[in-house]
Amino acid sequence: MIVLETSRLILRHAVLTDVEFILDLLNTPGFIANIGDRGVRDLCHAQTYLLDGPISSYQLHGFGLYVVELKSSGESIGLSGLVKRPVLDSPDLGYAFLPAFWGKGYAVESAQAVVRHSRDLSI
């Protein structure tokens, strides 16, 4: 399900067929160093991450991390969205991108779209 579009990006709900992308993303050195090691080392763990993380969040909160795709190719390049953290009163903006897509403005572009969307939802 597409949630948002920008001039270059599509943000959509994560689905179980995203397991290979999630496995790759969560094991990049940048993800591990800046976000944390989620212990996702195989496709089974990636599926559990999707079910317990983004997919569960959509159902519980009406928002979550969305898969970011390039409009031009449909390639999955990252995650961007809101995360409900138990220690915070309000949702937290989060994002992570594959290293090949760093420095191109995709994080800013997707984050701005997520913030605008959250205002429309009154989150």
Side-chain angles (χ1 to χ4, degrees), residues 41-62:
R41 299 292 184 263
D42 58 36
L43 294 176
C44 184
H45 287 116
Q47 180 176 343
T48 300
Y49 173 87
L50 285 167
L51 287 169
D52 294 346
I55 293 171
S56 175
S57 183
Y58 309 146
Q59 295 166 351
L60 291 172
H61 308 296

Side-chain angles (χ1 to χ4, degrees), residues 90-122:
S90 299
D92 190 22
L93 179 64
Y95 58 87
F97 287 82
L98 293 170
F101 301 97
W102 293 1
K104 300 178 187 316
Y106 297 133
V108 172
E109 186 174 329
S110 65
Q112 288 174 337
V114 166
V115 169
R116 281 191 304 272
H117 181 67
S118 70
R119 289 182 184 144
D120 293 342
L121 297 176
S122 300

Side-chain angles (χ1 to χ4, degrees), residues 23-73:
L23 181 62
D24 289 343
L25 179 66
L26 271 57
N27 284 288
T28 62
F31 190 99
I32 292 170
N34 297 300
I35 298 171
D37 187 348
R38 300 295 188 243
V40 174
R41 299 292 184 263
D42 58 36
L43 294 176
C44 184
H45 287 116
Q47 180 176 343
T48 300
Y49 173 87
L50 285 167
L51 287 169
D52 294 346
I55 293 171
S56 175
S57 183
Y58 309 146
Q59 295 166 351
L60 291 172
H61 308 296
F63 58 82
L65 290 171
Y66 306 117
V67 174
V68 180
E69 296 178 340
L70 293 176
K71 269 188 177 178
S72 61
S73 67

Side-chain angles (χ1 to χ4, degrees), residues 1-4 10-15 66:
M1 176 178 142
I2 294 175
V3 178
L4 299 165
I10 292 172
L11 283 75
R12 63 165 176 81
H13 281 191
V15 293
Y66 306 117

